[in-house]
């Protein structure tokens, strides 16, 4: 990619993720966050809450698994044990008005398993979205879905995750920075990518090493335009001991492209499997390095094409030949 196009893509995607995080111009009515046991989506949700508080937006938090009210949340609704119809009525009354509102659902699993024929999941979520309300919901990929006692699953119905991916306008998948760097180090050496947590298929292992790191988050974004075209990018979001208000205080954006993050562009030695410390060179039976004397001797060698670049050489491909005693001189051939 040309440097000009690369810079244009970098600027465009940074402006897009900033617009999504700041809820500017209702860029994404429905944002779906996918997390796993290896990396929780709570740091990203806290980033949304902090930025909404900075922009003086109202934050409504619907809790299925959160016990305490998170900081900077204006309205906290306990949804456990309530029917979808009663919950929809309570949410509508809390989010009424023209003030810009961020509606957060901490998990969608209870709604996917307790949806009724009269109020299916798409209808429930669509009724919550208004021109002044943006929906942010989290779906846990590692939690299996329980069978619903009210509506048995239809063999022709799509999986709830497939349905949610189709409905959302922005899909954000969070990853652990430590594990991303480990995979990058393996890919740079053409090695098999390491697996973590449940992917290791080891009895008793639930979370892998370096997982669920709350300091920094790697976010994979998939944004759907109105035309239907998707825009994908990877970002690095620092969340260590700072919140969304820190953006306004610093006066600059903290989100960067993952490819511009220094630790990703050059993986540090702690994520490198080599023990020789040879700067990325694999161990071998011979030394690929040069001593100082060998380097000076190599620089002092004058190669033949260097002579041709002098004042006498390089004139139209002229051939220089010194005749010997055994050569037969022929004037006619020499004139050709």
């Amino acid at each position: 990619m040309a440097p000009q196009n690369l810079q244009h893509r970098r600027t465009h995607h940074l402006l897009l993720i900033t617009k999504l995080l700041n809820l500017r111009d209702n860029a994404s009515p429905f944002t779906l966050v996918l997390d796993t046991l290896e990396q929780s989506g709570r740091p990203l949700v806290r980033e949304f809450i902090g930025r909404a508080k900075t922009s003086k937006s109202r934050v409504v938090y619907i809790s299925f698994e959160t016990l305490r009210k998170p900081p900077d949340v204006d309205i906290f609704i306990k949804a456990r044990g309530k029917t979808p119809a009663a919950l929809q009525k309570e949410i509508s009354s809390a989010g009424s008005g023209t003030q810009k509102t961020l509606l957060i659902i901490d998990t969608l699993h209870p709604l996917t398993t307790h949806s009724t024929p009269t109020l299916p999941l798409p209808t429930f979520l669509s009724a919550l979205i208004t021109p002044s309300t943006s929906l942010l919901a989290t779906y846990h990929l590692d939690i299996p879905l329980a069978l619903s006692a009210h509506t048995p699953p239809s063999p022709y119905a799509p999986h709830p995750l497939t349905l949610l991916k189709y409905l959302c306008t922005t899909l954000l998948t969070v990853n652990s920075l430590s594990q991303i760097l480990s995979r990058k180090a393996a890919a740079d050496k053409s090695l098999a990518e390491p697996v973590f947590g449940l992917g290791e298929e080891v009895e008793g292992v639930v979370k892998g090493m370096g997982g669920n790191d709350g300091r920094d988050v790697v976010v994979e974004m998939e944004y759907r335009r109105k035309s239907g075209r998707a825009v994908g990018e990877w970002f690095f979001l620092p969340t260590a001991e700072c919140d969304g208000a820190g953006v306004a205080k610093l006066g600059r954006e903290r989100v960067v492209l993952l490819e511009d993050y220094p630790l990703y562009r050059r993986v540090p030695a702690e994520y490198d499997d080599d023990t020789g410390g040879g700067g990325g060179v694999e161990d071998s039976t011979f030394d690929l390095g040069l001593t100082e004397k060998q380097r000076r001797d190599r620089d002092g060698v004058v190669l033949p094409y260097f002579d041709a670049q002098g004042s006498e050489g390089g004139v139209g491909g002229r051939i220089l030949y010194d005749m010997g005693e055994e050569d037969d001189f022929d004037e006619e051939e020499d004139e050709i």
Side-chain angles (χ1 to χ4, degrees):
M1 185 178 293
Q4 184 177 2
N5 296 336
L6 182 61
Q7 182 63 28
H8 175 73
R9 180 185 67 86
R10 178 183 290 107
T11 304
H12 178 267
H13 289 176
L14 286 177
L15 290 176
L16 178 59
I17 190 63
T18 303
K19 187 176 182 180
L20 294 175
L21 293 175
N22 294 333
L23 306 176
R24 194 177 305 161
D25 301 331
N26 198 18
S28 177
F30 179 24
T31 302
L32 179 64
V33 178
L34 301 181
D35 67 351
T36 60
L37 293 174
E38 302 303 320
Q39 180 58 58
S40 173
R42 290 184 178 180
L44 181 60
V45 174
R46 287 198 301 265
E47 184 73 16
F48 272 96
I49 295 176
R51 291 172 182 254
K53 191 67 176 181
T54 303
S55 61
K56 298 181 180 179
S57 300
R58 178 171 49 189
V59 179
V60 180
Y61 197 97
I62 295 94
S63 169
F64 284 99
E65 60 183 10
T66 305
L67 300 179
R68 298 181 180 179
K69 177 181 177 181
D72 298 330
V73 171
D74 299 316
I75 302 176
F76 185 75
I77 299 176
K78 294 183 178 180
R80 180 178 292 274
K82 298 180 180 179
T83 61
L87 181 60
Q88 182 184 12
K89 185 180 299 184
E90 185 175 357
I91 295 173
S92 300
S93 60
S96 61
T98 58
Q99 184 182 3
K100 187 165 62 173
T101 303
L102 173 62
L103 186 61
I104 301 175
I105 302 178
D106 58 357
T107 177
L108 289 172
H109 280 74
L111 295 176
T112 57
T113 56
H114 293 84
S115 58
T116 60
T118 58
L119 189 60
L121 181 61
T123 305
F124 176 82
L125 296 178
S126 301
L128 303 179
I129 302 173
T130 63
S132 59
T133 302
S134 298
L135 177 61
L136 176 67
T138 302
Y139 185 91
H140 307 307
L141 295 175
D142 290 338
I143 298 180
L145 293 177
L147 296 179
S148 176
H150 304 284
T151 56
S154 172
Y156 305 102
H159 191 272
L161 179 58
T162 304
L163 186 61
L164 290 172
K165 288 183 177 180
Y166 178 78
L167 293 175
C168 70
T169 52
T170 302
L171 184 64
L172 301 178
T173 306
V174 294
N175 299 271
S176 172
L177 175 63
S178 175
Q179 297 179 0
I180 289 293
L181 295 179
S182 299
R183 294 190 181 100
K184 177 68 164 48
D188 291 342
K189 297 181 181 180
S190 299
L191 300 176
E193 292 187 357
V195 292
F196 302 95
L198 298 177
E200 300 179 21
E201 298 182 354
V202 178
E203 184 179 359
V205 176
V206 178
K207 188 183 72 171
M209 295 294 295
N212 206 14
D213 190 356
R215 299 173 301 171
D216 304 309
V217 177
V218 176
V219 180
E220 181 185 2
M221 178 197 72
E222 182 180 343
Y223 173 72
R224 282 79 178 270
R225 296 181 177 273
K226 295 181 180 180
S227 61
R229 186 172 65 91
V231 179
E233 189 57 85
W234 289 73
F235 297 95
F236 169 75
L237 176 63
T239 59
E241 298 181 358
C242 57
D243 52 12
V247 179
K249 294 179 181 179
L250 295 175
R252 59 185 178 86
E253 184 57 59
R254 295 180 289 109
V255 182
V256 297
L257 296 182
L258 181 60
E259 61 187 30
D260 294 336
Y261 184 57
L263 293 181
Y264 184 81
R265 294 198 304 184
R266 183 177 182 181
V267 180
E270 59 185 88
Y271 298 101
D272 200 343
D273 293 334
D274 287 342
T275 57
V281 179
E282 299 288 345
D283 295 337
S284 59
T285 57
F286 54 89
D287 187 11
L288 297 178
L290 295 176
T291 63
E292 187 64 27
K293 182 179 181 302
Q294 292 173 342
R295 190 176 292 104
R296 289 197 306 267
D297 295 342
R298 184 191 62 180
D299 296 339
V301 175
V302 180
L303 299 177
Y305 58 84
F306 285 153
D307 290 338
Q309 296 176 2
S311 58
E312 297 182 359
V315 182
R318 184 180 58 177
I319 300 176
L320 303 178
Y321 179 72
D322 295 334
M323 297 184 60
E325 296 178 356
E326 66 278 2
D327 292 333
D328 185 13
F329 181 74
D330 191 343
E331 295 181 358
E332 293 181 359
E333 292 183 357
D334 292 341
E335 290 178 357
I336 296 177

